[in-house]
Amino acid sequence: MANTKSIHGEWSSRFAYILATTGSAVGLGNIWKFPYITGENGGGAFVLVYLGCVLAIGIPIMIAETMMGRRGRQSPINTLSTLSTEANASKYWRYLGWTGVIAGILILSYYSVIAGWAIAYVFKAIFSGFSSDAAIVNASFDDLIASPVQLIAWHSIFMVATMTVVMQGVKGGLEKAVQLLMPTLLVLLLLLVAYAMSTGEYFFEGLSFLFHPDFSKISSDAVLTAMGHAFFTLGLGMGAIMVYGSYLQGGVSIAKTTLYVAGADTIVALLAGIAIFPLVFANGLEPGSGPGLIFQTLPIAFGNMTGGWLFGILFFVLLVFAALTSSISLVEPMVAWLIENRGFTRVNASVISGGAIWALGVSVVLSFNVWSDFKIFDKTIFELLDYLTANLMLPIGGFCIAVFAGWVMQQRHVRDELALPEQQYRIWKFLIRYVAPTSVFIVFLHVLGLF
Ligand code: PFF
């Protein structure tokens, strides 16, 4: 029998749930990662594949993951054991919850380091303002990346902030933070887009880079990255959305709320791209310059704008908060499990998980400087963790979620939980049973050179 309520509490309203889930979805993935991987993978065609993946794979799986969370009402590991018992399926399904917990730990270890860069930029801006000279901006980024001590300090601050919010539990910390932050971030992004428009011809060059697909530029690995990013940006495939769904009260339409969240997430990513690429071209920068892209372009805009100092500070503060509302959802599956299965208090569970992730994060910091030559499969530790999680673990997790919701769960339970009109239910069912899993599978075959 499905549980009716989670022991960890519930969102106070549907709106609070939408905000928190949007908080989990919108983060560094939209503003930092989407622009730089789009730049590295040639632009338009990559964006189109990413958008296709959000529609055909991401949204159906997001509905499935939320539905499973709400039905199981526990940490993803226990939810999967409960739901597999309910469906008379193998107990091994709970390992899917485990891989999710591990993916969350691995992602947060580097996510926190990048969020640390954003914190560093807040302070850099306050004390020395923004330069409008691309060379100075570049040099300042290189200096930051070269200093393990600084990076570890910023990473530590971000981890402490994350775990402090997680300690407060679902409602206390999270809900309040997001309500103010999300709308303000959107306004600032619009402001940056307006600034990008003022670059004239470069604005159109930026748009054309983003929206004019040239399929000759896209490799099979780029297709995998685009698909992986659809999972990463929506926060799918590792139990984050499942655990948020477990705090959602019955009666709220999962499909509708998912569409809002996925829509908001996509809009924020596209706006970030529209704001950044005109600046890249106007300043003769390289679109494919890698993870430093927004840190090397946006300061130039702030340096040139009237009032840019203040907007810039505000922007990086908001970026840190956007990262925070995502990082919380990355550890929540592990914290919920430690509480449920190991009898930890929320505080102890948070300290233990936070400590472990912090330690792993230190190796990510070093991979940007001292250990930058240390490579496994030709990737630094940062690149390897990113590839392993976003491109492999999340899509594989998502694939298993699609199979579980589409084929393993009893359809009357799924119907009950989703409460969709018949035709919409059929569309979703078709997507979750056939389209989503096959697409993920085909992309993997393609990368292996088998398709
Ligand atoms: N969606 C977040 C972002 O785009 O920054 C990152 C993320 C959150 C990934 C939660 C995975 C996750 F489970």
Side-chain angles (χ1 to χ4, degrees):
M1 186 47 214
N3 296 317
T4 50
K5 213 165 171 167
S6 163
I7 60 162
H8 307 284
E10 265 191 358
W11 305 109
S12 52
S13 64
R14 181 181 95 120
F15 185 59
Y17 166 76
I18 294 180
L19 281 174
T21 315
T22 311
S24 162
V26 174
L28 295 175
N30 307 62
I31 295 169
W32 159 74
K33 192 173 179 191
F34 172 71
Y36 96 74
I37 56 176
T38 299
E40 283 180 339
N41 290 291
F46 177 85
V47 174
L48 206 65
V49 176
Y50 151 74
L51 291 175
C53 290
V54 166
L55 272 180
I57 309 176
I59 292 176
I61 293 183
M62 197 167 185
I63 294 176
E65 197 172 328
T66 316
M67 177 274 292
M68 288 163 59
R70 189 167 71 181
R71 190 152 185 94
R73 294 228 180 266
Q74 301 150 79
S75 71
I77 297 172
N78 292 333
T79 284
L80 278 154
S81 341
T82 305
L83 295 184
S84 49
T85 311
E86 190 182 61
N88 286 324
S90 159
K91 275 274 178 203
Y92 288 120
W93 277 103
R94 73 172 188 286
Y95 289 112
L96 176 56
W98 270 111
T99 53
V101 165
I102 295 167
I105 295 170
L106 298 181
I107 295 176
L108 188 49
S109 72
Y110 69 83
Y111 202 83
S112 167
V113 174
I114 311 293
W117 297 359
I119 305 181
Y121 268 64
V122 173
F123 287 93
K124 261 181 195 275
I126 293 176
F127 294 112
S128 40
F130 293 102
S131 166
S132 50
D133 181 332
I136 297 178
V137 170
N138 261 331
S140 149
F141 178 72
D142 291 343
D143 279 351
L144 173 69
I145 297 303
S147 161
V149 175
Q150 281 193 51
L151 294 187
I152 290 175
W154 301 123
H155 157 59
S156 310
I157 293 174
F158 186 78
M159 274 316 295
V160 169
T162 300
M163 300 330 288
T164 311
V165 182
V166 173
M167 277 177 204
Q168 323 278 316
V170 182
K171 273 198 224 167
L174 236 135
E175 273 192 30
K176 296 207 184 76
V178 202
Q179 297 203 2
L180 188 75
L181 302 172
M182 288 294 135
T184 325
L185 184 67
L186 190 66
V187 171
L188 273 185
L189 269 180
L190 288 171
L191 196 89
L192 280 171
V193 169
Y195 177 79
M197 282 178 173
S198 75
T199 61
E201 57 180 301
Y202 296 111
F203 181 66
F204 294 102
E205 198 177 335
L207 283 187
S208 142
F209 181 76
L210 270 175
F211 296 115
H212 190 271
D214 174 355
F215 283 95
S216 67
K217 282 190 189 156
I218 197 158
S219 63
S220 60
D221 221 39
V223 174
L224 177 65
T225 305
M227 179 179 78
H229 190 63
F231 282 95
F232 185 89
T233 190
L234 294 172
L236 296 182
M238 56 139 285
I241 292 297
M242 201 182 289
V243 90
Y244 276 19
S246 75
Y247 308 146
L248 176 65
Q249 43 292 66
V252 172
S253 161
I254 291 176
K256 230 189 246 167
T257 47
T258 297
L259 288 179
Y260 292 145
V261 175
D265 185 75
T266 309
I267 290 172
V268 172
L270 294 178
L271 285 177
I274 297 173
I276 285 159
F277 285 107
L279 297 176
V280 171
F281 296 121
N283 292 286
L285 301 168
E286 238 329 289
S289 68
L293 189 67
I294 66 160
F295 297 94
Q296 289 158 318
T297 46
L298 292 181
I300 304 175
F302 296 128
N304 275 320
M305 256 185 231
T306 13
W309 181 70
L310 202 62
F311 288 137
I313 293 173
L314 202 57
F315 176 83
F316 284 110
V317 169
L318 285 168
L319 185 59
V320 174
F321 278 106
L324 194 60
T325 55
S326 301
S327 62
I328 293 160
S329 69
L330 284 161
V331 258
E332 183 64 21
M334 172 159 183
V335 169
W337 179 80
L338 285 173
I339 299 172
E340 286 168 16
N341 293 46
R342 291 284 172 265
F344 281 55
T345 60
R346 192 165 257 282
V347 172
N348 287 346
S350 306
V351 171
I352 302 241
S353 341
I357 295 167
W358 177 85
L360 194 57
V362 170
S363 69
V364 175
V365 163
L366 298 177
S367 77
F368 283 105
N369 36 65
V370 185
W371 291 350
S372 60
D373 291 331
F374 173 68
K375 297 202 172 166
I376 306 171
F377 297 121
D378 207 28
K379 290 186 176 359
T380 63
I381 295 176
F382 159 71
E383 290 164 348
L384 190 71
L385 284 175
D386 180 37
Y387 193 89
L388 190 70
T389 52
N391 292 10
L392 303 179
M393 292 179 88
L394 299 186
I396 293 172
F399 174 89
C400 296
I401 287 170
V403 170
F404 192 85
W407 297 95
V408 177
M409 281 180 80
Q410 290 188 25
Q411 292 306 302
R412 69 191 161 88
H413 294 153
V414 176
R415 252 173 218 272
D416 246 20
E417 211 57 60
L418 292 181
L420 279 173
E422 187 55 26
Q423 201 178 7
Q424 292 175 21
Y425 176 74
R426 277 168 190 258
I427 297 175
W428 173 79
K429 198 167 134 188
F430 177 71
L431 292 170
I432 205 73
R433 283 193 143 185
Y434 304 103
V435 179
T438 334
S439 314
V440 175
F441 194 65
I442 290 178
V443 173
F444 279 125
L445 288 185
H446 191 49
V447 173
L448 294 172
L450 299 174
F451 185 80

PDB file of all heavy atoms in Angstrom, residues 24-30 107 111 231-236 238 240 265 326 329-330 394, ligand 1:
ATOM      1  N   SER A  24      15.402  23.409  -7.847  1.00  0.00           N
ATOM      2  CA  SER A  24      16.298  22.280  -8.090  1.00  0.00           C
ATOM      3  C   SER A  24      16.726  22.245  -9.564  1.00  0.00           C
ATOM      4  O   SER A  24      17.885  21.989  -9.888  1.00  0.00           O
ATOM      5  CB  SER A  24      15.581  20.979  -7.727  1.00  0.00           C
ATOM      6  OG  SER A  24      16.221  19.886  -8.321  1.00  0.00           O
ATOM      7  N   ALA A  25      15.773  22.537 -10.435  1.00  0.00           N
ATOM      8  CA  ALA A  25      16.083  22.462 -11.868  1.00  0.00           C
ATOM      9  C   ALA A  25      16.974  23.626 -12.311  1.00  0.00           C
ATOM     10  O   ALA A  25      17.988  23.432 -12.975  1.00  0.00           O
ATOM     11  CB  ALA A  25      14.782  22.443 -12.667  1.00  0.00           C
ATOM     12  N   VAL A  26      16.580  24.842 -11.935  1.00  0.00           N
ATOM     13  CA  VAL A  26      17.335  26.011 -12.401  1.00  0.00           C
ATOM     14  C   VAL A  26      18.557  26.194 -11.513  1.00  0.00           C
ATOM     15  O   VAL A  26      18.437  26.323 -10.300  1.00  0.00           O
ATOM     16  CB  VAL A  26      16.460  27.280 -12.338  1.00  0.00           C
ATOM     17  CG1 VAL A  26      17.291  28.508 -12.693  1.00  0.00           C
ATOM     18  CG2 VAL A  26      15.269  27.138 -13.270  1.00  0.00           C
ATOM     19  N   GLY A  27      19.708  26.176 -12.124  1.00  0.00           N
ATOM     20  CA  GLY A  27      20.932  26.325 -11.325  1.00  0.00           C
ATOM     21  C   GLY A  27      22.110  26.582 -12.232  1.00  0.00           C
ATOM     22  O   GLY A  27      21.964  27.135 -13.329  1.00  0.00           O
ATOM     23  N   LEU A  28      23.264  26.132 -11.782  1.00  0.00           N
ATOM     24  CA  LEU A  28      24.474  26.322 -12.586  1.00  0.00           C
ATOM     25  C   LEU A  28      24.314  25.666 -13.956  1.00  0.00           C
ATOM     26  O   LEU A  28      24.895  26.105 -14.933  1.00  0.00           O
ATOM     27  CB  LEU A  28      25.666  25.700 -11.867  1.00  0.00           C
ATOM     28  CG  LEU A  28      26.058  26.352 -10.536  1.00  0.00           C
ATOM     29  CD1 LEU A  28      27.171  25.545  -9.878  1.00  0.00           C
ATOM     30  CD2 LEU A  28      26.514  27.784 -10.769  1.00  0.00           C
ATOM     31  N   GLY A  29      23.530  24.598 -14.000  1.00  0.00           N
ATOM     32  CA  GLY A  29      23.310  23.900 -15.268  1.00  0.00           C
ATOM     33  C   GLY A  29      22.788  24.837 -16.344  1.00  0.00           C
ATOM     34  O   GLY A  29      23.192  24.751 -17.509  1.00  0.00           O
ATOM     35  N   ASN A  30      21.915  25.741 -15.967  1.00  0.00           N
ATOM     36  CA  ASN A  30      21.315  26.640 -16.951  1.00  0.00           C
ATOM     37  C   ASN A  30      22.235  27.796 -17.319  1.00  0.00           C
ATOM     38  O   ASN A  30      22.344  28.174 -18.474  1.00  0.00           O
ATOM     39  CB  ASN A  30      20.022  27.248 -16.398  1.00  0.00           C
ATOM     40  CG  ASN A  30      19.075  26.199 -15.913  1.00  0.00           C
ATOM     41  OD1 ASN A  30      19.388  25.461 -14.989  1.00  0.00           O
ATOM     42  ND2 ASN A  30      17.933  26.098 -16.541  1.00  0.00           N
ATOM     43  N   ILE A 107      28.012  14.568  -8.193  1.00  0.00           N
ATOM     44  CA  ILE A 107      27.695  15.856  -8.847  1.00  0.00           C
ATOM     45  C   ILE A 107      27.981  17.003  -7.893  1.00  0.00           C
ATOM     46  O   ILE A 107      28.635  17.986  -8.243  1.00  0.00           O
ATOM     47  CB  ILE A 107      26.225  15.925  -9.314  1.00  0.00           C
ATOM     48  CG1 ILE A 107      25.955  14.903 -10.419  1.00  0.00           C
ATOM     49  CG2 ILE A 107      25.877  17.331  -9.819  1.00  0.00           C
ATOM     50  CD1 ILE A 107      24.519  14.814 -10.878  1.00  0.00           C
ATOM     51  N   TYR A 111      29.903  20.507  -8.330  1.00  0.00           N
ATOM     52  CA  TYR A 111      28.933  21.611  -8.396  1.00  0.00           C
ATOM     53  C   TYR A 111      29.301  22.677  -7.368  1.00  0.00           C
ATOM     54  O   TYR A 111      29.251  23.878  -7.637  1.00  0.00           O
ATOM     55  CB  TYR A 111      27.563  21.027  -8.074  1.00  0.00           C
ATOM     56  CG  TYR A 111      26.371  21.812  -8.579  1.00  0.00           C
ATOM     57  CD1 TYR A 111      25.932  21.658  -9.890  1.00  0.00           C
ATOM     58  CD2 TYR A 111      25.661  22.668  -7.743  1.00  0.00           C
ATOM     59  CE1 TYR A 111      24.824  22.344 -10.351  1.00  0.00           C
ATOM     60  CE2 TYR A 111      24.552  23.354  -8.201  1.00  0.00           C
ATOM     61  CZ  TYR A 111      24.134  23.180  -9.499  1.00  0.00           C
ATOM     62  OH  TYR A 111      23.033  23.867  -9.946  1.00  0.00           O
ATOM     63  N   PHE A 231      18.957  15.753 -18.805  1.00  0.00           N
ATOM     64  CA  PHE A 231      18.758  15.135 -17.486  1.00  0.00           C
ATOM     65  C   PHE A 231      19.303  16.031 -16.374  1.00  0.00           C
ATOM     66  O   PHE A 231      18.657  16.256 -15.365  1.00  0.00           O
ATOM     67  CB  PHE A 231      19.472  13.773 -17.417  1.00  0.00           C
ATOM     68  CG  PHE A 231      18.703  12.681 -18.117  1.00  0.00           C
ATOM     69  CD1 PHE A 231      18.974  12.339 -19.430  1.00  0.00           C
ATOM     70  CD2 PHE A 231      17.700  12.000 -17.448  1.00  0.00           C
ATOM     71  CE1 PHE A 231      18.261  11.343 -20.073  1.00  0.00           C
ATOM     72  CE2 PHE A 231      16.975  10.992 -18.083  1.00  0.00           C
ATOM     73  CZ  PHE A 231      17.262  10.667 -19.399  1.00  0.00           C
ATOM     74  N   PHE A 232      20.512  16.531 -16.615  1.00  0.00           N
ATOM     75  CA  PHE A 232      21.178  17.332 -15.591  1.00  0.00           C
ATOM     76  C   PHE A 232      20.363  18.581 -15.267  1.00  0.00           C
ATOM     77  O   PHE A 232      20.113  18.899 -14.107  1.00  0.00           O
ATOM     78  CB  PHE A 232      22.574  17.725 -16.106  1.00  0.00           C
ATOM     79  CG  PHE A 232      23.409  18.450 -15.097  1.00  0.00           C
ATOM     80  CD1 PHE A 232      24.216  17.748 -14.217  1.00  0.00           C
ATOM     81  CD2 PHE A 232      23.410  19.841 -15.036  1.00  0.00           C
ATOM     82  CE1 PHE A 232      25.010  18.421 -13.289  1.00  0.00           C
ATOM     83  CE2 PHE A 232      24.191  20.512 -14.109  1.00  0.00           C
ATOM     84  CZ  PHE A 232      24.993  19.804 -13.230  1.00  0.00           C
ATOM     85  N   THR A 233      19.946  19.272 -16.312  1.00  0.00           N
ATOM     86  CA  THR A 233      19.296  20.564 -16.085  1.00  0.00           C
ATOM     87  C   THR A 233      17.927  20.400 -15.433  1.00  0.00           C
ATOM     88  O   THR A 233      17.494  21.243 -14.656  1.00  0.00           O
ATOM     89  CB  THR A 233      19.220  21.382 -17.393  1.00  0.00           C
ATOM     90  OG1 THR A 233      18.805  22.701 -17.085  1.00  0.00           O
ATOM     91  CG2 THR A 233      18.270  20.779 -18.410  1.00  0.00           C
ATOM     92  N   LEU A 234      17.242  19.297 -15.736  1.00  0.00           N
ATOM     93  CA  LEU A 234      15.940  19.103 -15.084  1.00  0.00           C
ATOM     94  C   LEU A 234      16.111  18.400 -13.728  1.00  0.00           C
ATOM     95  O   LEU A 234      15.161  18.258 -12.972  1.00  0.00           O
ATOM     96  CB  LEU A 234      15.011  18.281 -15.981  1.00  0.00           C
ATOM     97  CG  LEU A 234      14.594  18.955 -17.293  1.00  0.00           C
ATOM     98  CD1 LEU A 234      13.832  17.973 -18.182  1.00  0.00           C
ATOM     99  CD2 LEU A 234      13.734  20.187 -17.039  1.00  0.00           C
ATOM    100  N   GLY A 235      17.331  17.984 -13.429  1.00  0.00           N
ATOM    101  CA  GLY A 235      17.593  17.312 -12.146  1.00  0.00           C
ATOM    102  C   GLY A 235      16.977  15.921 -12.119  1.00  0.00           C
ATOM    103  O   GLY A 235      16.408  15.494 -11.117  1.00  0.00           O
ATOM    104  N   LEU A 236      17.129  15.190 -13.239  1.00  0.00           N
ATOM    105  CA  LEU A 236      16.467  13.879 -13.355  1.00  0.00           C
ATOM    106  C   LEU A 236      17.434  12.715 -13.270  1.00  0.00           C
ATOM    107  O   LEU A 236      18.612  12.875 -13.535  1.00  0.00           O
ATOM    108  CB  LEU A 236      15.828  13.762 -14.745  1.00  0.00           C
ATOM    109  CG  LEU A 236      14.722  14.708 -15.077  1.00  0.00           C
ATOM    110  CD1 LEU A 236      14.217  14.385 -16.467  1.00  0.00           C
ATOM    111  CD2 LEU A 236      13.613  14.556 -14.057  1.00  0.00           C
ATOM    112  N   MET A 238      18.318  10.735 -10.769  1.00  0.00           N
ATOM    113  CA  MET A 238      19.065  10.358  -9.567  1.00  0.00           C
ATOM    114  C   MET A 238      18.263  10.467  -8.279  1.00  0.00           C
ATOM    115  O   MET A 238      18.815  10.329  -7.195  1.00  0.00           O
ATOM    116  CB  MET A 238      20.343  11.186  -9.464  1.00  0.00           C
ATOM    117  CG  MET A 238      20.109  12.672  -9.469  1.00  0.00           C
ATOM    118  SD  MET A 238      21.148  13.542  -8.299  1.00  0.00           S
ATOM    119  CE  MET A 238      20.388  13.161  -6.758  1.00  0.00           C
ATOM    120  N   ALA A 240      16.485  13.123  -7.139  1.00  0.00           N
ATOM    121  CA  ALA A 240      16.247  14.451  -6.551  1.00  0.00           C
ATOM    122  C   ALA A 240      14.768  14.835  -6.695  1.00  0.00           C
ATOM    123  O   ALA A 240      14.117  15.261  -5.736  1.00  0.00           O
ATOM    124  CB  ALA A 240      17.131  15.495  -7.210  1.00  0.00           C
ATOM    125  N   ASP A 265      12.670  26.137 -16.685  1.00  0.00           N
ATOM    126  CA  ASP A 265      14.082  25.746 -16.762  1.00  0.00           C
ATOM    127  C   ASP A 265      14.646  26.018 -18.161  1.00  0.00           C
ATOM    128  O   ASP A 265      15.743  26.548 -18.316  1.00  0.00           O
ATOM    129  CB  ASP A 265      14.191  24.255 -16.421  1.00  0.00           C
ATOM    130  CG  ASP A 265      15.622  23.804 -16.349  1.00  0.00           C
ATOM    131  OD1 ASP A 265      16.273  24.129 -15.340  1.00  0.00           O
ATOM    132  OD2 ASP A 265      16.110  23.164 -17.295  1.00  0.00           O
ATOM    133  N   SER A 326      19.666  24.178  -5.930  1.00  0.00           N
ATOM    134  CA  SER A 326      19.857  22.899  -6.625  1.00  0.00           C
ATOM    135  C   SER A 326      20.683  21.948  -5.768  1.00  0.00           C
ATOM    136  O   SER A 326      20.403  20.753  -5.706  1.00  0.00           O
ATOM    137  CB  SER A 326      20.603  23.096  -7.947  1.00  0.00           C
ATOM    138  OG  SER A 326      19.904  23.965  -8.779  1.00  0.00           O
ATOM    139  N   SER A 329      18.925  19.776  -3.337  1.00  0.00           N
ATOM    140  CA  SER A 329      18.203  18.600  -3.828  1.00  0.00           C
ATOM    141  C   SER A 329      19.168  17.478  -4.194  1.00  0.00           C
ATOM    142  O   SER A 329      18.772  16.332  -4.319  1.00  0.00           O
ATOM    143  CB  SER A 329      17.332  18.966  -5.026  1.00  0.00           C
ATOM    144  OG  SER A 329      18.131  19.264  -6.140  1.00  0.00           O
ATOM    145  N   LEU A 330      20.442  17.831  -4.393  1.00  0.00           N
ATOM    146  CA  LEU A 330      21.412  16.794  -4.712  1.00  0.00           C
ATOM    147  C   LEU A 330      21.772  15.933  -3.498  1.00  0.00           C
ATOM    148  O   LEU A 330      22.099  14.764  -3.636  1.00  0.00           O
ATOM    149  CB  LEU A 330      22.691  17.425  -5.284  1.00  0.00           C
ATOM    150  CG  LEU A 330      22.598  17.896  -6.727  1.00  0.00           C
ATOM    151  CD1 LEU A 330      23.699  18.892  -7.058  1.00  0.00           C
ATOM    152  CD2 LEU A 330      22.681  16.715  -7.685  1.00  0.00           C
ATOM    153  N   LEU A 394      23.097   9.715 -15.022  1.00  0.00           N
ATOM    154  CA  LEU A 394      21.726  10.251 -15.058  1.00  0.00           C
ATOM    155  C   LEU A 394      20.896   9.636 -16.187  1.00  0.00           C
ATOM    156  O   LEU A 394      19.760   9.208 -15.951  1.00  0.00           O
ATOM    157  CB  LEU A 394      21.730  11.787 -15.148  1.00  0.00           C
ATOM    158  CG  LEU A 394      22.400  12.544 -13.994  1.00  0.00           C
ATOM    159  CD1 LEU A 394      22.201  14.048 -14.134  1.00  0.00           C
ATOM    160  CD2 LEU A 394      21.882  12.072 -12.645  1.00  0.00           C
TER     161      LEU A 394
HETATM  162  N1  PFF B   1      19.407  20.959 -12.291  1.00  0.00           N
HETATM  163  C1  PFF B   1      20.554  21.538 -11.646  1.00  0.00           C
HETATM  164  C2  PFF B   1      21.162  22.585 -12.559  1.00  0.00           C
HETATM  165  O1  PFF B   1      20.770  22.681 -13.718  1.00  0.00           O
HETATM  166  O2  PFF B   1      22.040  23.295 -12.114  1.00  0.00           O
HETATM  167  C3  PFF B   1      21.573  20.514 -11.236  1.00  0.00           C
HETATM  168  C4  PFF B   1      21.014  19.250 -10.668  1.00  0.00           C
HETATM  169  C5  PFF B   1      20.131  19.292  -9.605  1.00  0.00           C
HETATM  170  C6  PFF B   1      21.351  18.045 -11.241  1.00  0.00           C
HETATM  171  C7  PFF B   1      19.577  18.123  -9.105  1.00  0.00           C
HETATM  172  C8  PFF B   1      20.824  16.873 -10.776  1.00  0.00           C
HETATM  173  C9  PFF B   1      19.933  16.930  -9.712  1.00  0.00           C
HETATM  174  F1  PFF B   1      19.436  15.844  -9.269  1.00  0.00           F
END
